[in-house]
Amino acid sequence: MLVLRRRAGESLLIGSDIEIELLELTPHGAKIGIRAPRETIVLRKELKITQEQNALAARGLASEVLEKFSRNRLKNVSPGR
Amino acid sequence: MLLVDTKYFGTMTCEEESAFDFPLGLPGFEDETRFVFIEIAEHAPLVFLQSLNNSSLCFLALPVPVIDPHYDLSLSAEDCAALELPAGCDPKPEGALVLALVSLHDGFSATANLMAPVVVNVRRRRALQSIRVDRVYSHQHPVPAAQYSEGVC
């Protein structure tokens, strides 16, 4: 990872059309401004991780496990709360 | 009573009070705003989060205390507001339920997402997936087989 030291108000450029500006530094975090083309997707990393993990979780059970579930399948199940 | 087409259990009848609103959906599943929570004794402590819009979408979840009894829930003011919980509240006495979505890898090894738990305001029937910004908990926390496969085999 490339590491740069920047002060508030200073910027850096990524490629020819993305600018990242360090707007403000506080003990609670840094405020960052991003100037990028509209089609560039900017996401907080934890959101991206969560989207990917949810996609994985939604795949659900593998067939052999599902089979065991099916074997145990109850008729006319009324779920408890 | 609700008639629900489910991914794993065919058509089920569920009590209205088993249905929860996710006003924001879940990240990656923003259109899925209503789920029914299915608990079946044979599969306890697993909870099935079945989408009411989409019968082929059903998440598996475990109550977070089953995975980590000492889990330290951290909710932002925005999340508290979306859940209609008082800001800065302690969610436990407020009737909140905290679930971790489970992923199965290669059929049998399971992980739970403790980085982004599903938090439910049981009284208001509202829920959301709360994403932590700290790095205290993993999005792929290993779940020992005994915690989810009880009754499956």
Side-chain angles (χ1 to χ4, degrees):
Chain A
M1 187 189 282
L2 169 68
V3 179
L4 298 170
R5 196 176 291 277
R6 298 272 71 186
R7 293 192 177 85
E10 296 179 345
S11 288
L12 56 94
L13 302 171
I14 299 174
S16 55
D17 48 13
I18 296 176
E19 179 180 356
I20 313 275
E21 184 177 347
L22 183 54
L23 297 171
E24 189 186 339
L25 268 172
T26 72
H28 305 293
K31 192 186 275 185
I32 295 168
I34 300 161
R35 217 169 269 122
R38 189 163 288 278
E39 63 272 17
T40 303
I41 295 169
V42 178
L43 277 184
R44 288 177 294 153
K45 185 177 175 182
E46 61 274 14
L47 179 60
K48 173 86 171 159
I49 291 172
T50 305
Q51 288 174 346
E52 290 171 354
Q53 195 58 43
N54 283 352
L56 188 63
R59 286 200 322 216
L61 300 175
S63 54
E64 59 267 36
V65 183
L66 183 58
E67 204 176 293
K68 284 175 180 149
F69 271 98
S70 307
R71 228 179 287 151
N72 289 343
R73 195 157 118 189
L74 306 171
K75 283 173 196 132
N76 198 16
V77 182
S78 160
R81 278 251 43 254
Chain B
M1 296 293 260
L2 292 169
L3 211 57
V4 183
D5 286 329
T6 69
K7 179 171 177 174
Y8 298 117
F9 308 108
T11 302
M12 297 174 73
T13 52
C14 295
E15 294 161 40
E16 295 271 357
E17 63 187 23
S18 308
F20 290 86
D21 286 321
F22 286 67
L24 309 170
L26 285 90
F29 296 89
E30 284 77 9
D31 295 336
E32 308 295 340
T33 54
R34 211 160 146 72
F35 284 81
V36 67
F37 291 7
I38 302 170
E39 294 172 74
I40 292 177
E42 279 79 349
H43 304 311
L46 273 179
V47 180
F48 295 82
L49 272 61
Q50 172 65 54
S51 168
L52 287 177
N53 308 329
N54 178 355
S55 62
S56 65
L57 180 65
C58 182
F59 292 104
L60 277 70
L62 282 169
V64 165
V66 170
I67 303 163
D68 181 352
H70 306 293
Y71 187 83
D72 182 26
L73 180 66
S74 158
L75 282 181
S76 68
E78 291 82 7
D79 285 350
C80 283
L83 283 167
E84 297 177 356
L85 287 169
C89 71
D90 179 357
K92 277 178 211 149
E94 292 290 335
L97 173 70
V98 187
L99 298 167
L101 297 186
V102 172
S103 301
L104 285 161
H105 308 265
D106 308 322
F108 290 99
S109 80
T111 61
N113 186 349
L114 293 184
M115 190 196 86
V118 170
V119 185
V120 186
N121 183 343
V122 178
R123 278 185 215 158
R124 299 294 182 103
R125 326 219 60 75
R126 288 168 78 87
L128 56 74
Q129 191 169 15
S130 167
I131 304 175
R132 300 178 74 105
V133 293
D134 53 27
R135 295 192 178 196
V136 180
Y137 294 102
S138 168
H139 64 288
Q140 292 190 327
H141 181 92
V143 180
Q147 287 182 352
Y148 69 89
S149 66
E150 201 179 316
V152 172
C153 302

